Every structure is written in C-alpha cells, then in structure tokens.
Amino acid sequence: MCSILSRAWPALLALLAVVPLTGCASWDRPGVSPQQASTSELARSNEIDPAARERISHALGRDPDERALRDALKQQPNNIDAAIPLARALLARNCPKDALEVLDGVLLATPGDLRALNAKAVVLDHEGRHQEAQELYRQALAAEPANPMLRNNFKLSLALEGKREAGDPSPAPQADGRKASARSR
C-alpha cells in the first residue's frame, strides 16, 4: 500500500495544483485571449478617458533627446542651445504652449537673447499671433538691426498677417512651407 501511495503522490499533487486554476476560467466567458489588442486599437477604444488617452499619447511621444534637452535646461536655465531644439520638437508635436514656456524660461534667465526672442516669435507666428511676434522681432532688431535672420522673419511675419514693413519697397518674402520651416533654424 505504501508503494501505491508513493507512486500516486505526484499525480495527486498535480491534480490539486490544477483544480484551483480551473476555477478562474469560466465556460460562458472566454478567459484571457492569447492575442493582445494592438496599440492603435487601444488608442481608439471608447472605454479610455480622452484626457487619459492624451496623457498616454503625450508620454509615449516623448523623444529621448527631448528628455536630455529638458535635463540640460534644468541644469542651465540659460542654455539656448538646448531650448531651441526642444522648442522645435515641441512645436513639431503640436505643443506650442510648452514651446513658449521653454522659451520664456530661457528669456527669464537671459533677457534680450536674440536667438530666444527670434525662436519665441517664430512660435507666436506659428500660432497666428503675428502682432506679438512682430513686437519681439522689433525688440531684437533694435539690438541688431542688420541681422538677416531677424529681418527676414519679421518680413515673413508681416506677410503672414498681410502687411508690409513701413518704408520697405521690396515685396514681402513668400511664405511657402520650405521657408517657413527654415525660419526656426
């Protein structure tokens, strides 16, 4: 009898281990599917709160370079070489408010920096806030009137608003996509 129990003992243990697991599955409801839903299906799901979906999308959309640029700005708030690429990346992700915050932070650390003024004005132009952008261009041009990048961006801003610079007989530059994207460089 002892030999029968010693041979049956492993089978009995296996049976006892399986019985509790069968209680988790139900015949009328399918268990966990071996197929996972794709990320795009989850993103379109109506069961996810739109605000949560936006936060998830925002978190997943971050580029590792963006984190490095943010870290660089935390260490040196006046680092314009980190601020401009970060603002450009934020603008490309359609986050102009974040881009403006980054540039405002740099302008607080280095008021009057021509590159920061230009970059902020470009973001404002992108948002259709041309008069605010033009004020920044004028401020920067007062410090460096011959700067070709500032002059071109100012003229482009005027053209986007449908105006021409007072006293400038030359036609305003074309606002095609190629030149508009080159402005922020």
Side-chain angles (χ1 to χ4, degrees):
M1 175 116 169
C2 217
S3 68
I4 294 175
L5 280 176
S6 65
R7 283 186 271 158
W9 187 248
L12 181 61
L13 283 176
L15 181 63
L16 289 174
V18 171
V19 169
L21 294 176
T22 59
C24 295
S26 173
W27 291 108
D28 60 341
R29 288 183 306 175
V32 176
S33 169
Q35 290 181 329
Q36 295 293 325
S38 72
T39 307
S40 60
E41 288 173 336
L42 289 174
R44 289 190 301 262
S45 173
N46 290 334
E47 297 174 9
I48 298 175
D49 176 43
R53 184 180 309 132
E54 180 64 27
R55 285 191 302 274
I56 291 167
S57 170
H58 184 71
L60 292 176
R62 287 222 169 119
D63 188 358
D65 289 337
E66 184 179 323
R67 285 190 208 116
L69 292 169
R70 285 185 186 276
D71 290 343
L73 280 173
K74 284 180 185 175
Q75 293 173 4
Q76 294 179 315
N78 64 343
N79 188 344
I80 190 68
D81 292 322
I84 288 177
L86 178 58
R88 188 180 300 132
L90 291 167
L91 196 57
R93 281 193 316 134
N94 201 21
C95 300
K97 289 180 183 177
D98 294 340
L100 288 172
E101 286 178 19
V102 166
L103 295 168
D104 284 338
V106 170
L107 284 168
L108 282 174
T110 57
D113 183 275
L114 297 179
R115 292 172 54 206
L117 288 170
N118 182 64
K120 182 176 179 182
V122 168
V123 174
L124 290 170
D125 270 335
H126 180 270
E127 288 299 289
R129 297 164 57 184
H130 303 296
Q131 291 179 353
E132 293 173 74
Q134 291 161 19
E135 284 302 313
L136 292 177
Y137 291 130
R138 284 185 185 100
Q139 182 182 346
L141 284 167
E144 196 173 315
N147 186 308
M149 177 182 63
L150 292 170
R151 292 194 59 71
N152 185 54
N153 287 350
F154 179 61
K155 289 178 184 179
L156 187 55
S157 181
L158 290 168
L160 289 170
E161 191 181 24
K163 295 181 180 178
R164 283 188 19 196
E165 187 176 4
D168 185 7
S170 63
Q174 294 293 323
D176 65 359
R178 186 180 68 241
K179 287 186 181 176
S181 66
R183 293 177 47 194
S184 61
R185 293 190 183 148

